[in-house]
């Protein structure tokens, strides 16, 4: 039976309600839908629908595959099959087939994050003339340890990469925005940098909060030290760190030492360290669902963003090295 033409029409119509400025860009797709063509058939060589999925793990790593046929490093995806009933189902099937990753949480309410128009070169060996793909792209999350099993005949390799390595700039900007990250073309002075404030106690435990499980915030459902983006009133990154500590947990008067700055996909994050030996239960958490001092030996047992874990561990290593002198 396959995917009904009315379903494709509904998906495209809803997408254009969110992105009306793309109507002319998608004119060829709209014209073929209006003409009644079954665009889920790969033999529609004047243009047919494909699907692909951006899979993000723990907030900052995207799964990219080395596609044998095209030779490109892209997000997993492919063509619709007769067994598919909806585009969202089709893309999840393709991701599972190509990478073995099946435990996926659709973002953006399960709606496409982008529809792209891609010219495809002729492949005489397959009897395929040059044609057009209307690639309907979705965003998903997966968490924790994720085993990747490649479909060897189609995929040469797969790797978890930084979001900056998503090749399409429009797709990259939309994914960053959907994940609560600043967009590369943000206005000057608007959230120009972020901070991460690693607070430790005398035993070396780190004060962390469990981030809310919500769409639109970065790395939801993971443990992280306090921190956040700059506000217009902040004089500098140090002031941002002080303000974030106060706003998120009501912690004041902690001396913060600048440790280093990292580039997080084009977004500078300033890392600070401070010491506080109080009781976490005495603080008032305003962002997140839990607050606790966590031992570094537990970092691999709890959900943590990969880069946050690395940056936090780097701070602990630097502090330990300094204290040993």
């Amino acid at each position: 039976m396959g995917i009904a033409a009315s379903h494709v029409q509904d998906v495209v119509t809803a997408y254009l309600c969110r992105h009306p400025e793309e109507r002319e860009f998608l004119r060829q797709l709209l014209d073929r839908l209006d003409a009644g063509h079954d665009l889920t058939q790969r033999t529609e060589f004047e243009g047919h629908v494909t699907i692909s999925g951006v899979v993000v793990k723990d907030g900052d790593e995207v799964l990219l595959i080395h596609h044998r046929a095209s030779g490109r490093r892209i997000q997993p995806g492919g063509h619709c099959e007769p067994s598919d009933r909806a585009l969202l189902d089709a893309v999840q099937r393709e991701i599972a087939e190509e990478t073995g990753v099946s435990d996926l949480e659709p973002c953006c309410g399960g709606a496409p994050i982008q529809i792209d128009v891609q010219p495809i070169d002729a492949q005489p060996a397959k009897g395929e003339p040059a044609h057009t793909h209307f690639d309907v792209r979705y965003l998903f999350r997966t968490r924790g340890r994720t085993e990747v099993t490649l479909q060897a005949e189609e995929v040469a390799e797969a790797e978890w990469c930084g979001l900056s390595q998503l090749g399409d700039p429009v797709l990259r900007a939309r994914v960053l925005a959907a994940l609560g990250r600043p967009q590369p073309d943000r206005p000057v002075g608007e959230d120009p940098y972020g901070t991460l404030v690693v607070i430790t106690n005398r035993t070396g435990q780190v004060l962390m909060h469990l981030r809310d499980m919500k769409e639109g915030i970065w790395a939801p459902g993971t443990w992280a030290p306090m921190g956040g983006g700059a506000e217009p009133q902040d004089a500098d990154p140090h002031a941002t760190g002080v303000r974030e500590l106060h706003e998120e947990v009501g912690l004041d008067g902690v001396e913060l030492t600048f440790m280093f700055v990292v580039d997080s996909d084009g977004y500078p994050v300033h890392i600070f360290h401070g010491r506080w030996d109080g009781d976490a239960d005495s603080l008032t958490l305003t962002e997140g669902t839990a607050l606790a001092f966590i031992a570094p030996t537990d970092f691999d047992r709890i959900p943590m963003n990969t880069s946050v874990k690395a940056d936090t561990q780097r701070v602990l290593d630097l502090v330990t090295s300094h204290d040993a002198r």
Side-chain angles (χ1 to χ4, degrees):
M1 178 180 175
I3 299 173
S6 59
H7 168 72
V8 178
Q9 181 78 65
D10 289 345
V11 169
V12 173
T13 299
Y15 176 83
L16 286 174
C17 286
R18 298 189 301 277
H19 303 285
E21 73 283 359
E22 295 186 16
R23 181 168 295 276
E24 286 308 309
F25 175 68
L26 297 178
R27 174 56 57 193
Q28 183 184 0
L29 169 60
L30 294 172
D31 289 346
R32 292 192 62 73
L33 284 170
D34 289 344
H37 294 283
D38 182 357
L39 300 189
T40 64
Q41 297 296 318
R42 63 187 304 164
T43 53
E44 285 280 346
F45 289 124
E46 290 189 27
H48 58 259
V49 166
T50 58
I51 65 279
S52 64
V54 178
V55 179
V56 177
K57 179 174 69 173
D58 292 335
D60 76 337
E61 292 179 308
V62 61
L63 182 60
L64 298 180
I65 63 170
H66 291 254
H67 193 251
R68 290 189 186 277
S70 67
R72 299 165 55 209
R73 187 171 68 163
I74 55 177
Q75 65 273 11
H79 289 86
C80 300
E81 299 289 349
S83 59
D84 298 325
R85 295 294 178 267
L87 294 176
L88 184 62
D89 296 336
V91 69
Q92 292 183 89
R93 174 190 52 73
E94 279 288 333
I95 293 169
E97 289 177 358
E98 292 187 340
T99 70
V101 178
S102 58
D103 186 13
L104 298 172
E105 303 171 16
C107 300
C108 309
I113 196 167
Q114 185 193 23
I115 300 179
D116 193 29
V117 180
Q118 302 174 312
I120 305 299
D121 293 336
Q123 298 186 59
K126 292 185 176 181
E128 295 182 355
H131 57 283
T132 301
H133 283 174
F134 306 114
D135 196 43
V136 183
R137 298 169 171 179
Y138 292 84
L139 175 63
F140 301 93
R141 288 190 183 276
T142 185
R143 304 185 187 281
R145 292 186 182 277
T146 304
E147 297 294 331
V148 176
T149 304
L150 300 183
Q151 186 182 38
E153 61 270 25
E154 291 193 19
V155 181
E157 186 182 353
E159 57 186 319
W160 294 99
C161 307
L163 293 170
S164 62
Q165 295 186 61
L166 278 170
D168 185 312
V170 174
L171 178 62
R172 182 170 63 247
R174 288 185 184 172
V175 169
L176 287 168
L179 298 178
R181 299 281 290 277
Q183 297 186 38
D185 59 352
R186 61 189 180 278
V188 174
E190 180 182 309
D191 197 10
Y193 60 82
T195 59
L196 185 74
V197 185
V198 179
I199 302 295
T200 59
N201 60 16
R202 65 170 64 89
T203 66
Q205 296 175 312
V206 180
L207 185 65
M208 295 189 181
H209 65 158
L210 181 59
R211 297 174 64 82
D212 291 304
M213 186 68 78
K214 296 178 180 177
E215 276 198 24
I217 70 168
W218 182 71
T222 62
W223 286 89
M226 270 48 70
E231 297 286 349
Q233 70 269 23
D234 296 337
D236 53 27
H238 181 275
T240 302
V242 170
R243 176 184 53 75
E244 288 288 342
L245 274 182
H246 173 77
E247 291 180 356
E248 293 186 350
V249 295
L251 187 55
D252 298 303
V254 177
E255 182 177 342
L256 299 184
T257 300
F258 172 74
M259 304 301 291
F260 53 87
V261 63
V262 297
D263 185 313
S264 179
D265 294 314
Y267 181 58
V269 178
H270 298 254
I271 315 294
F272 292 86
H273 173 253
R275 294 189 188 274
W276 185 69
D277 289 314
D279 182 355
D281 290 338
S282 69
L283 300 174
T284 302
L285 181 66
T286 61
E287 293 185 18
T289 59
L291 182 69
F293 273 107
I294 296 177
T297 53
D298 290 329
F299 286 179
D300 288 334
R301 300 191 186 102
I302 61 175
M304 282 188 74
N305 173 271
T306 303
S307 60
V308 167
K309 184 191 299 184
D311 294 338
T312 304
Q313 187 61 59
R314 182 179 171 189
V315 169
L316 297 179
D317 292 344
L318 289 171
V319 170
T320 301
S321 175
H322 180 271
D323 291 347
R325 291 202 295 263

